[in-house]
Amino acid sequence: MEADGYRVVPYDRARHGDGPWRVVAAVFAEYGFPFAEADYDADVLRPEAHYPPGWFLVAESPAGEVVGCVGLTDEGGGEFELHRLYLLPAARGKGLGERLTREVVRMAREAGARRLVLFSDVAFEHAHRLYERCGFRRNRFRYAPDPWQSREWGFVMEFEETGKEAR
């Protein structure tokens, strides 16, 4: 998927290296969030060890640099979860967040999802508007299972058996 020279592609260790790690670390620093190489944040250092093949995507700049990322997991029972949607500040406002989100929705639907969920820190208000624009609805609040108990909103998208979003 490509537009304006930006591409959304599956993560490849040889090509993208620690690009997702650098993106998430930069966004966490921007918001003053703690970030660590081990445990809770290890999935963005080695996406290939935490996500099924092809289920962790990156957004590349026209120069081939990783400027964003997103992941998808199968949680069982027809429920899938969107993880780690992050974009560097310079990459925002170009439609990349929506492209990454819609690609994960497509992948989940093709994998037979009945429900797609995500959790997002309460500080990411712009992302919350994006999720709602893409068809998610805010459905709950939680304290995240991270070491610092972040406050998060939960979002959900339900699918009909035909593969269309439920209304």
Side-chain angles (χ1 to χ4, degrees), residues 2 18 27 33 38 50 54 57 61 64 67 77 81 83 87 94 99 102 108 112 129 142 146 153 157:
E2 187 171 344
D18 69 349
V27 173
F33 296 164
H50 295 270
L57 306 173
S61 72
V67 297
E81 187 169 343
H83 299 273
L87 288 169
K94 300 174 185 336
R99 286 167 52 196
R102 291 195 187 280
R129 289 189 295 277
R142 77 172 187 179
D146 60 31
W153 287 113
M157 179 184 288

mmCIF file with all atom_site columns, all heavy atoms in Angstrom, residues 2 18 27 33 38 50 54 57 61 64 67 77 81 83 87 94 99 102 108 112 129 142 146 153 157:
data_model
loop_
_atom_site.group_PDB
_atom_site.id
_atom_site.type_symbol
_atom_site.label_atom_id
_atom_site.label_alt_id
_atom_site.label_comp_id
_atom_site.label_asym_id
_atom_site.label_entity_id
_atom_site.label_seq_id
_atom_site.pdbx_PDB_ins_code
_atom_site.Cartn_x
_atom_site.Cartn_y
_atom_site.Cartn_z
_atom_site.occupancy
_atom_site.B_iso_or_equiv
_atom_site.pdbx_formal_charge
_atom_site.auth_seq_id
_atom_site.auth_comp_id
_atom_site.auth_asym_id
_atom_site.auth_atom_id
_atom_site.pdbx_PDB_model_num
ATOM 1   N N   . GLU A 1 2   ? 0.749   2.098   -0.997 1.00 0.00 ? 2   GLU A N   1
ATOM 2   C CA  . GLU A 1 2   ? 1.638   3.237   -1.141 1.00 0.00 ? 2   GLU A CA  1
ATOM 3   C C   . GLU A 1 2   ? 0.859   4.469   -1.580 1.00 0.00 ? 2   GLU A C   1
ATOM 4   O O   . GLU A 1 2   ? -0.050  4.378   -2.384 1.00 0.00 ? 2   GLU A O   1
ATOM 5   C CB  . GLU A 1 2   ? 2.725   2.919   -2.172 1.00 0.00 ? 2   GLU A CB  1
ATOM 6   C CG  . GLU A 1 2   ? 3.776   3.963   -2.261 1.00 0.00 ? 2   GLU A CG  1
ATOM 7   C CD  . GLU A 1 2   ? 4.956   3.528   -3.135 1.00 0.00 ? 2   GLU A CD  1
ATOM 8   O OE1 . GLU A 1 2   ? 5.099   2.343   -3.424 1.00 0.00 ? 2   GLU A OE1 1
ATOM 9   O OE2 . GLU A 1 2   ? 5.712   4.417   -3.516 1.00 0.00 ? 2   GLU A OE2 1
ATOM 10  N N   . ASP A 1 18  ? 15.672  -2.052  14.055 1.00 0.00 ? 18  ASP A N   1
ATOM 11  C CA  . ASP A 1 18  ? 15.033  -1.563  15.278 1.00 0.00 ? 18  ASP A CA  1
ATOM 12  C C   . ASP A 1 18  ? 14.160  -0.334  15.020 1.00 0.00 ? 18  ASP A C   1
ATOM 13  O O   . ASP A 1 18  ? 13.841  0.419   15.943 1.00 0.00 ? 18  ASP A O   1
ATOM 14  C CB  . ASP A 1 18  ? 16.081  -1.267  16.356 1.00 0.00 ? 18  ASP A CB  1
ATOM 15  C CG  . ASP A 1 18  ? 16.958  -0.068  16.014 1.00 0.00 ? 18  ASP A CG  1
ATOM 16  O OD1 . ASP A 1 18  ? 16.913  0.428   14.871 1.00 0.00 ? 18  ASP A OD1 1
ATOM 17  O OD2 . ASP A 1 18  ? 17.713  0.385   16.901 1.00 0.00 ? 18  ASP A OD2 1
ATOM 18  N N   . VAL A 1 27  ? 7.907   8.380   20.548 1.00 0.00 ? 27  VAL A N   1
ATOM 19  C CA  . VAL A 1 27  ? 6.560   8.815   20.941 1.00 0.00 ? 27  VAL A CA  1
ATOM 20  C C   . VAL A 1 27  ? 6.429   8.779   22.458 1.00 0.00 ? 27  VAL A C   1
ATOM 21  O O   . VAL A 1 27  ? 5.872   9.710   23.059 1.00 0.00 ? 27  VAL A O   1
ATOM 22  C CB  . VAL A 1 27  ? 5.473   7.962   20.256 1.00 0.00 ? 27  VAL A CB  1
ATOM 23  C CG1 . VAL A 1 27  ? 4.088   8.305   20.792 1.00 0.00 ? 27  VAL A CG1 1
ATOM 24  C CG2 . VAL A 1 27  ? 5.525   8.147   18.738 1.00 0.00 ? 27  VAL A CG2 1
ATOM 25  N N   . PHE A 1 33  ? 6.387   9.206   28.785 1.00 0.00 ? 33  PHE A N   1
ATOM 26  C CA  . PHE A 1 33  ? 6.080   7.864   29.276 1.00 0.00 ? 33  PHE A CA  1
ATOM 27  C C   . PHE A 1 33  ? 7.374   7.078   29.483 1.00 0.00 ? 33  PHE A C   1
ATOM 28  O O   . PHE A 1 33  ? 8.314   7.216   28.700 1.00 0.00 ? 33  PHE A O   1
ATOM 29  C CB  . PHE A 1 33  ? 5.214   7.091   28.287 1.00 0.00 ? 33  PHE A CB  1
ATOM 30  C CG  . PHE A 1 33  ? 3.841   7.655   28.041 1.00 0.00 ? 33  PHE A CG  1
ATOM 31  C CD1 . PHE A 1 33  ? 3.116   7.239   26.948 1.00 0.00 ? 33  PHE A CD1 1
ATOM 32  C CD2 . PHE A 1 33  ? 3.267   8.582   28.890 1.00 0.00 ? 33  PHE A CD2 1
ATOM 33  C CE1 . PHE A 1 33  ? 1.845   7.733   26.696 1.00 0.00 ? 33  PHE A CE1 1
ATOM 34  C CE2 . PHE A 1 33  ? 1.995   9.076   28.645 1.00 0.00 ? 33  PHE A CE2 1
ATOM 35  C CZ  . PHE A 1 33  ? 1.287   8.656   27.556 1.00 0.00 ? 33  PHE A CZ  1
ATOM 36  N N   . ALA A 1 38  ? 13.152  -4.295  27.891 1.00 0.00 ? 38  ALA A N   1
ATOM 37  C CA  . ALA A 1 38  ? 12.714  -5.645  28.254 1.00 0.00 ? 38  ALA A CA  1
ATOM 38  C C   . ALA A 1 38  ? 11.229  -5.660  28.601 1.00 0.00 ? 38  ALA A C   1
ATOM 39  O O   . ALA A 1 38  ? 10.581  -4.629  28.699 1.00 0.00 ? 38  ALA A O   1
ATOM 40  C CB  . ALA A 1 38  ? 13.528  -6.134  29.441 1.00 0.00 ? 38  ALA A CB  1
ATOM 41  N N   . HIS A 1 50  ? 7.137   -11.752 18.494 1.00 0.00 ? 50  HIS A N   1
ATOM 42  C CA  . HIS A 1 50  ? 5.908   -11.494 19.248 1.00 0.00 ? 50  HIS A CA  1
ATOM 43  C C   . HIS A 1 50  ? 4.635   -11.461 18.401 1.00 0.00 ? 50  HIS A C   1
ATOM 44  O O   . HIS A 1 50  ? 3.534   -11.490 18.937 1.00 0.00 ? 50  HIS A O   1
ATOM 45  C CB  . HIS A 1 50  ? 6.038   -10.168 20.002 1.00 0.00 ? 50  HIS A CB  1
ATOM 46  C CG  . HIS A 1 50  ? 7.096   -10.195 21.046 1.00 0.00 ? 50  HIS A CG  1
ATOM 47  N ND1 . HIS A 1 50  ? 6.859   -10.577 22.343 1.00 0.00 ? 50  HIS A ND1 1
ATOM 48  C CD2 . HIS A 1 50  ? 8.418   -9.930  20.974 1.00 0.00 ? 50  HIS A CD2 1
ATOM 49  C CE1 . HIS A 1 50  ? 7.979   -10.532 23.027 1.00 0.00 ? 50  HIS A CE1 1
ATOM 50  N NE2 . HIS A 1 50  ? 8.946   -10.140 22.225 1.00 0.00 ? 50  HIS A NE2 1
ATOM 51  N N   . GLY A 1 54  ? 3.850   -11.390 9.103  1.00 0.00 ? 54  GLY A N   1
ATOM 52  C CA  . GLY A 1 54  ? 3.004   -10.482 8.333  1.00 0.00 ? 54  GLY A CA  1
ATOM 53  C C   . GLY A 1 54  ? 2.016   -9.689  9.164  1.00 0.00 ? 54  GLY A C   1
ATOM 54  O O   . GLY A 1 54  ? 1.308   -8.842  8.628  1.00 0.00 ? 54  GLY A O   1
ATOM 55  N N   . LEU A 1 57  ? 3.178   -4.431  10.978 1.00 0.00 ? 57  LEU A N   1
ATOM 56  C CA  . LEU A 1 57  ? 3.383   -3.585  9.807  1.00 0.00 ? 57  LEU A CA  1
ATOM 57  C C   . LEU A 1 57  ? 4.162   -2.336  10.185 1.00 0.00 ? 57  LEU A C   1
ATOM 58  O O   . LEU A 1 57  ? 4.069   -1.859  11.321 1.00 0.00 ? 57  LEU A O   1
ATOM 59  C CB  . LEU A 1 57  ? 2.041   -3.164  9.218  1.00 0.00 ? 57  LEU A CB  1
ATOM 60  C CG  . LEU A 1 57  ? 1.056   -4.271  8.880  1.00 0.00 ? 57  LEU A CG  1
ATOM 61  C CD1 . LEU A 1 57  ? -0.289  -3.678  8.470  1.00 0.00 ? 57  LEU A CD1 1
ATOM 62  C CD2 . LEU A 1 57  ? 1.620   -5.159  7.787  1.00 0.00 ? 57  LEU A CD2 1
ATOM 63  N N   . SER A 1 61  ? 8.939   5.967   5.181  1.00 0.00 ? 61  SER A N   1
ATOM 64  C CA  . SER A 1 61  ? 9.014   7.258   4.505  1.00 0.00 ? 61  SER A CA  1
ATOM 65  C C   . SER A 1 61  ? 9.467   7.036   3.065  1.00 0.00 ? 61  SER A C   1
ATOM 66  O O   . SER A 1 61  ? 9.928   5.943   2.715  1.00 0.00 ? 61  SER A O   1
ATOM 67  C CB  . SER A 1 61  ? 10.014  8.162   5.225  1.00 0.00 ? 61  SER A CB  1
ATOM 68  O OG  . SER A 1 61  ? 11.339  7.700   4.972  1.00 0.00 ? 61  SER A OG  1
ATOM 69  N N   . GLY A 1 64  ? 12.626  5.346   2.882  1.00 0.00 ? 64  GLY A N   1
ATOM 70  C CA  . GLY A 1 64  ? 12.713  3.983   3.401  1.00 0.00 ? 64  GLY A CA  1
ATOM 71  C C   . GLY A 1 64  ? 12.887  3.880   4.903  1.00 0.00 ? 64  GLY A C   1
ATOM 72  O O   . GLY A 1 64  ? 13.065  2.785   5.430  1.00 0.00 ? 64  GLY A O   1
ATOM 73  N N   . VAL A 1 67  ? 8.705   5.093   10.003 1.00 0.00 ? 67  VAL A N   1
ATOM 74  C CA  . VAL A 1 67  ? 8.113   6.266   10.643 1.00 0.00 ? 67  VAL A CA  1
ATOM 75  C C   . VAL A 1 67  ? 6.854   5.927   11.432 1.00 0.00 ? 67  VAL A C   1
ATOM 76  O O   . VAL A 1 67  ? 6.268   6.780   12.086 1.00 0.00 ? 67  VAL A O   1
ATOM 77  C CB  . VAL A 1 67  ? 7.808   7.379   9.618  1.00 0.00 ? 67  VAL A CB  1
ATOM 78  C CG1 . VAL A 1 67  ? 9.097   7.882   8.963  1.00 0.00 ? 67  VAL A CG1 1
ATOM 79  C CG2 . VAL A 1 67  ? 6.805   6.896   8.565  1.00 0.00 ? 67  VAL A CG2 1
ATOM 80  N N   . GLY A 1 77  ? -10.947 -17.300 20.283 1.00 0.00 ? 77  GLY A N   1
ATOM 81  C CA  . GLY A 1 77  ? -12.398 -17.156 20.328 1.00 0.00 ? 77  GLY A CA  1
ATOM 82  C C   . GLY A 1 77  ? -12.950 -16.124 19.366 1.00 0.00 ? 77  GLY A C   1
ATOM 83  O O   . GLY A 1 77  ? -14.019 -15.560 19.612 1.00 0.00 ? 77  GLY A O   1
ATOM 84  N N   . GLU A 1 81  ? -6.615  -8.385  18.468 1.00 0.00 ? 81  GLU A N   1
ATOM 85  C CA  . GLU A 1 81  ? -6.266  -7.117  19.103 1.00 0.00 ? 81  GLU A CA  1
ATOM 86  C C   . GLU A 1 81  ? -5.264  -6.348  18.260 1.00 0.00 ? 81  GLU A C   1
ATOM 87  O O   . GLU A 1 81  ? -4.265  -6.899  17.785 1.00 0.00 ? 81  GLU A O   1
ATOM 88  C CB  . GLU A 1 81  ? -5.689  -7.345  20.499 1.00 0.00 ? 81  GLU A CB  1
ATOM 89  C CG  . GLU A 1 81  ? -5.465  -6.046  21.252 1.00 0.00 ? 81  GLU A CG  1
ATOM 90  C CD  . GLU A 1 81  ? -5.141  -6.225  22.721 1.00 0.00 ? 81  GLU A CD  1
ATOM 91  O OE1 . GLU A 1 81  ? -5.379  -7.321  23.271 1.00 0.00 ? 81  GLU A OE1 1
ATOM 92  O OE2 . GLU A 1 81  ? -4.658  -5.247  23.326 1.00 0.00 ? 81  GLU A OE2 1
ATOM 93  N N   . HIS A 1 83  ? -2.387  -3.651  18.198 1.00 0.00 ? 83  HIS A N   1
ATOM 94  C CA  . HIS A 1 83  ? -1.362  -3.198  19.146 1.00 0.00 ? 83  HIS A CA  1
ATOM 95  C C   . HIS A 1 83  ? -0.443  -2.172  18.484 1.00 0.00 ? 83  HIS A C   1
ATOM 96  O O   . HIS A 1 83  ? -0.196  -2.230  17.284 1.00 0.00 ? 83  HIS A O   1
ATOM 97  C CB  . HIS A 1 83  ? -0.452  -4.368  19.554 1.00 0.00 ? 83  HIS A CB  1
ATOM 98  C CG  . HIS A 1 83  ? -1.128  -5.492  20.225 1.00 0.00 ? 83  HIS A CG  1
ATOM 99  N ND1 . HIS A 1 83  ? -1.341  -5.550  21.577 1.00 0.00 ? 83  HIS A ND1 1
ATOM 100 C CD2 . HIS A 1 83  ? -1.642  -6.638  19.722 1.00 0.00 ? 83  HIS A CD2 1
ATOM 101 C CE1 . HIS A 1 83  ? -1.939  -6.686  21.881 1.00 0.00 ? 83  HIS A CE1 1
ATOM 102 N NE2 . HIS A 1 83  ? -2.142  -7.359  20.776 1.00 0.00 ? 83  HIS A NE2 1
ATOM 103 N N   . LEU A 1 87  ? 3.157   6.709   15.346 1.00 0.00 ? 87  LEU A N   1
ATOM 104 C CA  . LEU A 1 87  ? 3.767   7.429   14.235 1.00 0.00 ? 87  LEU A CA  1
ATOM 105 C C   . LEU A 1 87  ? 4.671   8.517   14.783 1.00 0.00 ? 87  LEU A C   1
ATOM 106 O O   . LEU A 1 87  ? 4.325   9.186   15.776 1.00 0.00 ? 87  LEU A O   1
ATOM 107 C CB  . LEU A 1 87  ? 2.702   8.107   13.371 1.00 0.00 ? 87  LEU A CB  1
ATOM 108 C CG  . LEU A 1 87  ? 1.841   7.226   12.490 1.00 0.00 ? 87  LEU A CG  1
ATOM 109 C CD1 . LEU A 1 87  ? 0.688   8.026   11.916 1.00 0.00 ? 87  LEU A CD1 1
ATOM 110 C CD2 . LEU A 1 87  ? 2.677   6.625   11.372 1.00 0.00 ? 87  LEU A CD2 1
ATOM 111 N N   . LYS A 1 94  ? -0.607  12.706  7.491  1.00 0.00 ? 94  LYS A N   1
ATOM 112 C CA  . LYS A 1 94  ? -0.446  12.244  6.116  1.00 0.00 ? 94  LYS A CA  1
ATOM 113 C C   . LYS A 1 94  ? -1.363  11.047  5.805  1.00 0.00 ? 94  LYS A C   1
ATOM 114 O O   . LYS A 1 94  ? -1.239  10.422  4.768  1.00 0.00 ? 94  LYS A O   1
ATOM 115 C CB  . LYS A 1 94  ? 1.014   11.854  5.866  1.00 0.00 ? 94  LYS A CB  1
ATOM 116 C CG  . LYS A 1 94  ? 1.986   13.008  6.064  1.00 0.00 ? 94  LYS A CG  1
ATOM 117 C CD  . LYS A 1 94  ? 3.409   12.542  5.940  1.00 0.00 ? 94  LYS A CD  1
ATOM 118 C CE  . LYS A 1 94  ? 4.445   13.595  6.232  1.00 0.00 ? 94  LYS A CE  1
ATOM 119 N NZ  . LYS A 1 94  ? 4.099   14.977  6.085  1.00 0.00 ? 94  LYS A NZ  1
ATOM 120 N N   . ARG A 1 99  ? -4.246  4.495   7.389  1.00 0.00 ? 99  ARG A N   1
ATOM 121 C CA  . ARG A 1 99  ? -3.847  3.395   6.506  1.00 0.00 ? 99  ARG A CA  1
ATOM 122 C C   . ARG A 1 99  ? -3.412  2.180   7.320  1.00 0.00 ? 99  ARG A C   1
ATOM 123 O O   . ARG A 1 99  ? -3.784  1.040   7.011  1.00 0.00 ? 99  ARG A O   1
ATOM 124 C CB  . ARG A 1 99  ? -2.740  3.856   5.564  1.00 0.00 ? 99  ARG A CB  1
ATOM 125 C CG  . ARG A 1 99  ? -3.301  4.770   4.487  1.00 0.00 ? 99  ARG A CG  1
ATOM 126 C CD  . ARG A 1 99  ? -2.275  5.522   3.707  1.00 0.00 ? 99  ARG A CD  1
ATOM 127 N NE  . ARG A 1 99  ? -1.220  4.695   3.150  1.00 0.00 ? 99  ARG A NE  1
ATOM 128 C CZ  . ARG A 1 99  ? -0.075  5.185   2.700  1.00 0.00 ? 99  ARG A CZ  1
ATOM 129 N NH1 . ARG A 1 99  ? 0.158   6.494   2.751  1.00 0.00 ? 99  ARG A NH1 1
ATOM 130 N NH2 . ARG A 1 99  ? 0.839   4.394   2.182  1.00 0.00 ? 99  ARG A NH2 1
ATOM 131 N N   . ARG A 1 102 ? -6.628  0.681   9.042  1.00 0.00 ? 102 ARG A N   1
ATOM 132 C CA  . ARG A 1 102 ? -7.510  -0.014  8.094  1.00 0.00 ? 102 ARG A CA  1
ATOM 133 C C   . ARG A 1 102 ? -6.870  -1.304  7.578  1.00 0.00 ? 102 ARG A C   1
ATOM 134 O O   . ARG A 1 102 ? -7.581  -2.276  7.304  1.00 0.00 ? 102 ARG A O   1
ATOM 135 C CB  . ARG A 1 102 ? -7.909  0.915   6.963  1.00 0.00 ? 102 ARG A CB  1
ATOM 136 C CG  . ARG A 1 102 ? -8.847  2.026   7.454  1.00 0.00 ? 102 ARG A CG  1
ATOM 137 C CD  . ARG A 1 102 ? -9.542  2.740   6.331  1.00 0.00 ? 102 ARG A CD  1
ATOM 138 N NE  . ARG A 1 102 ? -10.300 3.876   6.806  1.00 0.00 ? 102 ARG A NE  1
ATOM 139 C CZ  . ARG A 1 102 ? -11.510 3.805   7.374  1.00 0.00 ? 102 ARG A CZ  1
ATOM 140 N NH1 . ARG A 1 102 ? -12.084 2.641   7.548  1.00 0.00 ? 102 ARG A NH1 1
ATOM 141 N NH2 . ARG A 1 102 ? -12.137 4.905   7.760  1.00 0.00 ? 102 ARG A NH2 1
ATOM 142 N N   . ALA A 1 108 ? -7.569  -8.632  10.084 1.00 0.00 ? 108 ALA A N   1
ATOM 143 C CA  . ALA A 1 108 ? -8.377  -9.319  11.099 1.00 0.00 ? 108 ALA A CA  1
ATOM 144 C C   . ALA A 1 108 ? -9.616  -9.934  10.457 1.00 0.00 ? 108 ALA A C   1
ATOM 145 O O   . ALA A 1 108 ? -9.961  -11.086 10.749 1.00 0.00 ? 108 ALA A O   1
ATOM 146 C CB  . ALA A 1 108 ? -8.761  -8.346  12.213 1.00 0.00 ? 108 ALA A CB  1
ATOM 147 N N   . GLY A 1 112 ? -10.835 -14.076 9.980  1.00 0.00 ? 112 GLY A N   1
ATOM 148 C CA  . GLY A 1 112 ? -12.064 -14.583 10.592 1.00 0.00 ? 112 GLY A CA  1
ATOM 149 C C   . GLY A 1 112 ? -12.450 -13.931 11.901 1.00 0.00 ? 112 GLY A C   1
ATOM 150 O O   . GLY A 1 112 ? -13.223 -14.501 12.676 1.00 0.00 ? 112 GLY A O   1
ATOM 151 N N   . ARG A 1 129 ? -9.822  9.709   18.080 1.00 0.00 ? 129 ARG A N   1
ATOM 152 C CA  . ARG A 1 129 ? -10.695 10.192  16.994 1.00 0.00 ? 129 ARG A CA  1
ATOM 153 C C   . ARG A 1 129 ? -10.479 9.358   15.730 1.00 0.00 ? 129 ARG A C   1
ATOM 154 O O   . ARG A 1 129 ? -11.433 9.043   15.017 1.00 0.00 ? 129 ARG A O   1
ATOM 155 C CB  . ARG A 1 129 ? -10.449 11.682  16.733 1.00 0.00 ? 129 ARG A CB  1
ATOM 156 C CG  . ARG A 1 129 ? -10.970 12.572  17.860 1.00 0.00 ? 129 ARG A CG  1
ATOM 157 C CD  . ARG A 1 129 ? -10.914 14.052  17.504 1.00 0.00 ? 129 ARG A CD  1
ATOM 158 N NE  . ARG A 1 129 ? -9.567  14.555  17.331 1.00 0.00 ? 129 ARG A NE  1
ATOM 159 C CZ  . ARG A 1 129 ? -8.759  14.957  18.315 1.00 0.00 ? 129 ARG A CZ  1
ATOM 160 N NH1 . ARG A 1 129 ? -9.165  14.905  19.565 1.00 0.00 ? 129 ARG A NH1 1
ATOM 161 N NH2 . ARG A 1 129 ? -7.553  15.423  18.050 1.00 0.00 ? 129 ARG A NH2 1
ATOM 162 N N   . ARG A 1 142 ? -9.588  1.097   31.485 1.00 0.00 ? 142 ARG A N   1
ATOM 163 C CA  . ARG A 1 142 ? -8.827  0.152   32.298 1.00 0.00 ? 142 ARG A CA  1
ATOM 164 C C   . ARG A 1 142 ? -7.504  0.772   32.721 1.00 0.00 ? 142 ARG A C   1
ATOM 165 O O   . ARG A 1 142 ? -7.044  1.760   32.151 1.00 0.00 ? 142 ARG A O   1
ATOM 166 C CB  . ARG A 1 142 ? -8.560  -1.150  31.548 1.00 0.00 ? 142 ARG A CB  1
ATOM 167 C CG  . ARG A 1 142 ? -7.451  -1.038  30.511 1.00 0.00 ? 142 ARG A CG  1
ATOM 168 C CD  . ARG A 1 142 ? -7.070  -2.374  29.931 1.00 0.00 ? 142 ARG A CD  1
ATOM 169 N NE  . ARG A 1 142 ? -5.897  -2.249  29.061 1.00 0.00 ? 142 ARG A NE  1
ATOM 170 C CZ  . ARG A 1 142 ? -5.335  -3.254  28.436 1.00 0.00 ? 142 ARG A CZ  1
ATOM 171 N NH1 . ARG A 1 142 ? -5.822  -4.476  28.545 1.00 0.00 ? 142 ARG A NH1 1
ATOM 172 N NH2 . ARG A 1 142 ? -4.273  -3.060  27.672 1.00 0.00 ? 142 ARG A NH2 1
ATOM 173 N N   . ASP A 1 146 ? 0.726   -2.727  32.199 1.00 0.00 ? 146 ASP A N   1
ATOM 174 C CA  . ASP A 1 146 ? 2.133   -2.335  32.127 1.00 0.00 ? 146 ASP A CA  1
ATOM 175 C C   . ASP A 1 146 ? 2.644   -2.024  33.538 1.00 0.00 ? 146 ASP A C   1
ATOM 176 O O   . ASP A 1 146 ? 1.846   -1.897  34.468 1.00 0.00 ? 146 ASP A O   1
ATOM 177 C CB  . ASP A 1 146 ? 2.325   -1.153  31.161 1.00 0.00 ? 146 ASP A CB  1
ATOM 178 C CG  . ASP A 1 146 ? 1.553   0.098   31.555 1.00 0.00 ? 146 ASP A CG  1
ATOM 179 O OD1 . ASP A 1 146 ? 1.341   0.336   32.766 1.00 0.00 ? 146 ASP A OD1 1
ATOM 180 O OD2 . ASP A 1 146 ? 1.157   0.846   30.659 1.00 0.00 ? 146 ASP A OD2 1
ATOM 181 N N   . TRP A 1 153 ? -8.186  3.836   27.414 1.00 0.00 ? 153 TRP A N   1
ATOM 182 C CA  . TRP A 1 153 ? -9.515  3.594   26.885 1.00 0.00 ? 153 TRP A CA  1
ATOM 183 C C   . TRP A 1 153 ? -9.460  2.345   26.043 1.00 0.00 ? 153 TRP A C   1
ATOM 184 O O   . TRP A 1 153 ? -8.497  2.126   25.302 1.00 0.00 ? 153 TRP A O   1
ATOM 185 C CB  . TRP A 1 153 ? -9.994  4.761   26.020 1.00 0.00 ? 153 TRP A CB  1
ATOM 186 C CG  . TRP A 1 153 ? -10.367 5.974   26.797 1.00 0.00 ? 153 TRP A CG  1
ATOM 187 C CD1 . TRP A 1 153 ? -9.735  7.183   26.798 1.00 0.00 ? 153 TRP A CD1 1
ATOM 188 C CD2 . TRP A 1 153 ? -11.470 6.099   27.694 1.00 0.00 ? 153 TRP A CD2 1
ATOM 189 N NE1 . TRP A 1 153 ? -10.368 8.045   27.642 1.00 0.00 ? 153 TRP A NE1 1
ATOM 190 C CE2 . TRP A 1 153 ? -11.442 7.404   28.217 1.00 0.00 ? 153 TRP A CE2 1
ATOM 191 C CE3 . TRP A 1 153 ? -12.477 5.231   28.121 1.00 0.00 ? 153 TRP A CE3 1
ATOM 192 C CZ2 . TRP A 1 153 ? -12.389 7.869   29.120 1.00 0.00 ? 153 TRP A CZ2 1
ATOM 193 C CZ3 . TRP A 1 153 ? -13.414 5.705   29.028 1.00 0.00 ? 153 TRP A CZ3 1
ATOM 194 C CH2 . TRP A 1 153 ? -13.360 7.003   29.517 1.00 0.00 ? 153 TRP A CH2 1
ATOM 195 N N   . MET A 1 157 ? -14.435 -3.113  17.696 1.00 0.00 ? 157 MET A N   1
ATOM 196 C CA  . MET A 1 157 ? -15.132 -3.170  16.418 1.00 0.00 ? 157 MET A CA  1
ATOM 197 C C   . MET A 1 157 ? -15.654 -4.599  16.302 1.00 0.00 ? 157 MET A C   1
ATOM 198 O O   . MET A 1 157 ? -14.881 -5.548  16.408 1.00 0.00 ? 157 MET A O   1
ATOM 199 C CB  . MET A 1 157 ? -14.183 -2.852  15.259 1.00 0.00 ? 157 MET A CB  1
ATOM 200 C CG  . MET A 1 157 ? -14.850 -2.914  13.894 1.00 0.00 ? 157 MET A CG  1
ATOM 201 S SD  . MET A 1 157 ? -13.675 -2.637  12.525 1.00 0.00 ? 157 MET A SD  1
ATOM 202 C CE  . MET A 1 157 ? -13.356 -0.883  12.700 1.00 0.00 ? 157 MET A CE  1
#
